[in-house]
Amino acid sequence: PTSHVAIDLVSGEQRMGLVTAGIPHLVVLCENAELVDLTARGPLLRHHPEAGPHGANVNWVSPLGSGLWRYRTFERGVEGETLACGTGAVATAILLLTWGIEMSPVRIRTSSGRDLEVSLERREGSWHPTLRGEGRVVFRGAISDLHIESVSD
């Protein structure tokens, strides 16, 4: 479900909505996502009462031209910007379609510089997304010499 939120917009912001795509996301349509001061605006929106009791991720999106959109994410838990967010891309695409300013598939450029394509289909009142983009291993780890202690009464 999507909804309008009663949060005052600041200069450069055009509209805002809340959508749950696994977790809640505030999506802010703005003039230029590159110019948003995420360190200042992110925490205010992430913890705003309209974002729900546990807060929300916040995504700023702006047009790049030729059907490509630029988005940036301030992610809860990280409490800062992340290079990409799959649920954020889906939430952003849902609101762009809901607002009537884009059609599926939606092409989105992440902060990592990689492009994602979000295809959305509406069935039985729900959005069914397909996300396409590059996947790569960014970390490998191993746990060795794991010792577990048991505590009993």
Side-chain angles (χ1 to χ4, degrees):
T2 62
S3 67
H4 175 74
V5 289
I7 299 174
D8 292 334
L9 300 175
V10 299
S11 178
E13 296 177 350
Q14 299 165 335
R15 69 191 310 175
M16 191 180 306
L18 180 68
V19 64
T20 299
I23 60 171
H25 287 266
L26 278 173
V27 177
V28 183
L29 179 64
C30 62
E31 293 171 4
N32 187 339
E34 293 292 339
L35 299 180
V36 174
D37 183 355
L38 267 67
T39 59
R41 187 75 170 138
L44 295 173
L45 293 177
R46 182 252 184 275
H47 294 287
H48 194 283
E50 290 278 325
H54 303 292
N57 286 358
V58 186
N59 305 282
W60 286 266
V61 62
S62 60
L64 281 176
S66 301
L68 184 62
W69 294 85
R70 172 67 168 104
Y71 94 121
R72 296 174 66 196
T73 298
F74 185 93
E75 193 162 342
R76 68 182 190 173
V78 175
E79 305 308 324
E81 184 171 7
T82 55
L83 295 179
C85 177
T87 58
V90 169
T92 299
I94 287 171
L95 281 173
L96 289 173
L97 266 69
T98 300
W99 291 333
I101 55 179
E102 188 56 88
M103 295 173 46
S104 183
V106 178
R107 294 183 319 123
I108 297 174
R109 176 150 304 146
T110 67
S111 292
S112 70
R114 308 281 187 228
D115 293 349
L116 298 174
E117 183 179 278
V118 182
S119 297
L120 293 165
E121 184 181 335
R122 189 98 168 139
R123 287 181 293 183
E124 301 173 12
S126 296
W127 290 105
H128 295 267
T130 302
L131 186 61
R132 172 182 277 170
E134 179 183 341
R136 67 171 55 178
V137 175
V138 295
F139 179 79
R140 291 182 197 260
I143 298 175
S144 62
D145 298 327
L146 183 62
H147 179 73
I148 300 173
E149 292 185 24
S150 173
V151 177
S152 60
D153 294 329

